[in-house]
């Protein structure tokens, strides 16, 4: 997992079709993650443990090839460890939520870190929001209220699943603050490697304490292995390749492919039907995510 974030291309490079295809394909790969979490017959937190641990050798190679000249000092290492703790809580909460709520809700709420950071930025700066920022916050609140209400109509368990996914968005916002500082010096692959190494033991401990099955059962290793490679290597690799060539608005629009794909998978694989009120709530939350991205705020790209 982890998040590649956009940086302006100072050379005036114009993205081509391959960059746009990589942007969409990266989002598609990440959008399939919740489906694979459900297919895995480990516990949800155990699936998050394998999701981070299995790609470590490949991440180490990518980090070595893209290594920065800057040394890994104590301060940067502590930033990565601190980020890893929040990342573990994010994934644990999100995976538990995925098991309980609808896939589209899980993706939307799990990607709410960008809106949460926008609100945090306003509080930290002690200033009133602009019209666009206020619109984004209001859209997020209205959409979340609609989706939470619909989940409560379905079942209490679905509502609790939404809350777990919202908590994941909060944890991810907390992860981004130290991770972004380390990423500017070390690069995305090194930070993802260090975060994975620090988060994996914590996820393992949570899974064992919760009494989850850690080793795959009848379904075998395929869902867990595909989850790890598609989320941490394929999805992130395509986004690292493409994101720096696009404006935050384009990135936000591309991000909306994730809940759309999750909704389709939920419909076909798990009979998760959406009514017009669900669609309205998703449109409002999606609008908030786009507005948060358009303001240049780093947000979740799962």
């Amino acid at each position: 997992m982890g998040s590649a974030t956009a940086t302006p291309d100072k050379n005036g490079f114009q993205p081509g079709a391959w960059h746009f295809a990589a942007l969409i394909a990266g989002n598609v790969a990440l959008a399939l993650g919740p489906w694979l979490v459900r297919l895995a017959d480990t516990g949800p937190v155990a699936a998050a443990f394998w999701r981070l641990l299995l790609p470590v050798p490949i991440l180490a190679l990518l980090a070595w090839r893209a290594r920065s000249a800057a040394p890994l000092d104590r301060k940067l290492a502590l930033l990565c460890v601190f980020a890893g703790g929040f990342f573990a809580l994010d994934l644990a909460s999100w995976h538990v939520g995925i098991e309980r709520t609808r896939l589209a809700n899980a993706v939307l709420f799990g990607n709410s870190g960008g809106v949460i950071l926008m609100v945090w930025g306003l509080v930290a700066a002690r200033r009133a929001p602009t019209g666009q920022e206020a619109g984004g916050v209001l859209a997020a609140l209205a959409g979340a209220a609609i989706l939470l209400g619909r989940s409560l109509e379905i079942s209490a368990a679905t509502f609790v699943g939404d809350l777990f996914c919202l908590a994941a968005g909060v944890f991810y916002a907390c992860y981004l603050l130290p991770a972004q500082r380390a990423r500017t010096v070390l690069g995305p692959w090194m930070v993802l490697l260090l975060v994975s190494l620090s988060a994996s033991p914590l996820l393992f401990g949570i899974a064992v304490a919760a009494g989850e099955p850690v080793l795959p059962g009848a379904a075998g290793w395929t869902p867990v292995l595909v989850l790890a490679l598609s989320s941490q290597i394929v999805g992130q690799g395509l986004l690292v390749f493409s994101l720096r060539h696009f404006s935050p608005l384009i990135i936000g629009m591309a991000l909306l492919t994730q809940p759309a794909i999750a909704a389709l998978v939920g419909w076909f694989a798990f009979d998760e039907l959406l009514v017009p009120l669900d669609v309205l709530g998703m449109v409002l939350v999606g609008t908030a995510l786009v507005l948060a991205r358009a303001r240049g705020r780093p947000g979740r790209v799962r």
Side-chain angles (χ1 to χ4, degrees), residues 3-24:
S3 174
T5 55
T7 56
D9 190 339
K10 298 179 180 179
N11 298 319
F13 178 83
Q14 294 298 315
W18 283 111
H19 296 94
F20 185 75
L23 177 64
I24 298 301

Side-chain angles (χ1 to χ4, degrees), residues 4-7 23 238-246 251 301:
T5 55
T7 56
L23 177 64
L238 290 172
L239 293 182
V240 166
F241 170 72
S242 63
L243 282 191
R244 68 187 182 92
H245 300 303
F246 294 97
I251 295 168
V301 180

Side-chain angles (χ1 to χ4, degrees), residues 80-180:
C80 291
V81 171
F82 191 60
F86 280 114
F87 196 39
L89 294 174
D90 160 57
L91 275 185
S93 182
W94 194 45
H95 279 209
V96 170
I98 287 169
E99 296 280 1
R100 301 185 180 208
T101 191
R102 294 172 292 178
L103 294 188
N105 285 29
V107 170
L108 279 170
F109 288 142
N111 276 294
S112 63
V115 178
I116 293 167
L117 278 182
M118 183 173 69
V119 175
W120 169 251
L122 293 173
V123 173
R126 297 181 180 178
R127 68 171 178 85
T130 64
Q132 182 173 311
E133 290 167 339
V137 173
L138 290 175
L141 292 175
I146 290 172
L147 292 175
L148 287 169
R150 281 283 299 133
S151 292
L152 193 56
E153 288 179 10
I154 295 171
S155 71
T158 305
F159 177 76
V160 170
D162 281 353
L163 296 183
F164 270 105
C165 293
L166 279 171
V170 174
F171 287 133
Y172 189 78
C174 296
Y175 153 78
L176 272 179
L177 295 174
Q180 290 287 71

Side-chain angles (χ1 to χ4, degrees), residues 1 22-23 25-30 55 58-59 62 189 192 225-242:
M1 173 157 340
L23 177 64
N27 277 286
V28 170
L30 295 173
I58 301 175
L59 289 176
L62 292 171
W189 291 118
L192 187 55
L225 183 60
V226 175
L227 171 67
L229 294 178
S230 63
S231 297
Q232 302 305 106
I233 303 299
V234 177
Q236 292 301 321
L238 290 172
L239 293 182
V240 166
F241 170 72
S242 63

